[in-house]
Amino acid sequence: MIYIVLSICCSVTVAILLKLAKRYQISIIQAVTINYLAALTLCFFFFKPDVKLVTQSAPWPIYIALAVLLPSIFLLLAASVKSLGIVKTDIAQRLSLFIPILAAYFIFKEDFNNFKIIGLIIGFAAIILTFIRNSAKKTDKGNLLYPIMVFVGFGVIDVLFKQIALYKELPYTTSLFTVFCLSFVVSLIIVIAMVISGKIKLQLVNVACGLILGFFNFGNILFYMKAHKALAENPSTVFAAMNLGVIIVGTLIGVIAFKEKLSKLNYAGIVLAIAAVIFITLSQNAIR
């Protein structure tokens, strides 16, 4: 369970860093770029990927799609944390698991049991209640676009990573390293374009923040994979503990440390989100 705890801590820390970015005037795109450089370096040393295999056979369309999506969703994640806070953003990210579940049903023709159907229904109710706001400002609708895009973006990314995992000709860690490399290239191109156009200036503080961000981003992946390996016979335990842990810890930190304001309906949405994860987990046990 220590790996699950460490993975939860790393995941929530990423959200906290993004929350603090505005306070310390961090350029998110620069930090994200360095983040991928740090992640691919750590991936190389920890997983020892066989890069030669990539030149022989690889699902390049999926790699390229992920290389574009990952930096983009990181920027949207930062915008969501900035506008709506850690609590709602974490819930949007965790409930994005419904998209690969729906893809499993409609694309991969997977059978659904009652637990999974109930979990989906509760999950959609949780999304609605979590993002209801007390005020009726015109900016609210614009702000809500960020968590919605985080929800959709992470869901699509999860589907693409699952397709990579099913690709048996390459080890998953080699594919992960390749995706990190391509994501770094895409982010670097964006940074160069923004520097040339005068929209941003290169600053050393962004490098430091990016290295820290990359460390915790990779740590989340590393410990999550180690947890699955250590609890190979109970994958649903890892799934449930990780998602529930991030929602609960993220909520506590958002409310206590950053004084994020939530309505009674928002709290009801959080409870439903937890219930949805539990039902999805029960559905996995029922299938087994």
Side-chain angles (χ1 to χ4, degrees):
M1 292 297 290
I2 185 64
Y3 291 133
I4 296 175
V5 173
L6 289 171
S7 183
I8 291 170
C9 291
C10 288
S11 179
V12 175
T13 300
V14 169
I16 293 173
L17 290 171
L18 294 175
K19 180 77 173 181
L20 295 172
K22 181 182 178 182
R23 182 182 300 178
Y24 296 100
Q25 298 181 331
I26 301 297
S27 169
I28 296 297
I29 183 59
Q30 291 183 55
V32 167
T33 302
I34 299 300
N35 150 77
Y36 285 119
L37 178 61
L40 71 88
T41 302
L42 290 170
C43 186
F44 181 81
F45 283 109
F46 275 92
F47 297 140
K48 307 296 182 183
D50 190 348
V51 183
K52 293 180 181 179
L53 292 175
V54 178
T55 60
Q56 299 172 6
S57 175
W60 286 105
I62 299 177
Y63 287 171
I64 294 171
L66 282 169
V68 175
L69 279 172
L70 284 174
S72 302
I73 203 64
F74 227 130
L75 296 177
L76 290 170
L77 187 70
S80 181
V81 169
K82 177 182 175 182
S83 62
L84 287 182
I86 293 174
V87 179
K88 297 182 179 182
T89 302
D90 273 342
I91 291 174
Q93 182 180 350
R94 293 300 147 185
L95 289 183
S96 66
L97 62 93
F98 295 129
I99 291 179
I101 289 174
L102 291 174
Y105 180 77
F106 289 106
I107 299 175
F108 302 109
K109 307 302 179 182
E110 178 183 314
D111 292 331
F112 274 27
N113 55 37
N114 291 334
F115 285 126
K116 190 166 287 187
I117 294 171
I118 293 171
L120 286 172
I121 294 172
I122 294 175
F124 284 120
I127 293 169
I128 294 171
L129 292 177
T130 300
F131 298 135
I132 288 178
R133 306 192 70 174
N134 291 326
S135 62
K137 295 179 182 178
K138 292 181 180 180
T139 55
D140 284 356
K141 292 183 179 179
N143 288 340
L144 286 175
L145 283 176
Y146 294 128
I148 290 172
M149 294 176 77
V150 166
F151 171 81
V152 175
F154 271 103
V156 173
I157 286 170
D158 195 20
V159 172
L160 293 176
F161 269 121
K162 286 187 186 308
Q163 288 182 310
I164 286 177
L166 294 173
Y167 191 78
K168 302 301 182 183
E169 295 182 33
L170 278 175
Y172 181 76
T173 50
T174 299
S175 292
L176 187 64
F177 174 76
T178 306
V179 169
F180 280 153
C181 288
L182 293 174
S183 297
F184 170 68
V185 171
V186 170
S187 299
L188 185 61
I189 291 172
I190 295 173
V191 168
I192 292 173
M194 294 180 74
V195 170
I196 292 174
S197 63
K199 292 182 178 180
I200 60 173
K201 293 182 179 179
L202 297 177
Q203 293 178 305
L204 191 60
V205 65
N206 298 315
V207 176
C209 183
L211 290 174
I212 297 171
L213 193 65
F215 174 81
F216 285 105
N217 190 24
F218 178 77
N220 177 31
I221 297 170
L222 176 66
F223 293 127
Y224 188 65
M225 291 177 68
K226 283 184 173 293
H228 271 294
K229 186 176 181 179
L231 298 171
E233 296 181 358
N234 296 287
S236 58
T237 300
V238 179
F239 172 85
M242 182 64 191
N243 286 284
L244 290 174
V246 170
I247 291 174
I248 294 170
V249 175
T251 299
L252 290 174
I253 290 176
V255 173
I256 296 172
F258 293 100
K259 311 298 180 184
E260 294 179 6
K261 295 181 179 180
L262 300 175
S263 67
K264 291 181 180 178
L265 288 177
N266 294 154
Y267 281 112
I270 293 170
V271 172
L272 288 180
I274 293 172
V277 173
I278 292 173
F279 273 103
I280 296 298
T281 305
L282 290 173
S283 74
Q284 292 183 337
N285 288 331
I287 291 173
R288 293 180 69 205

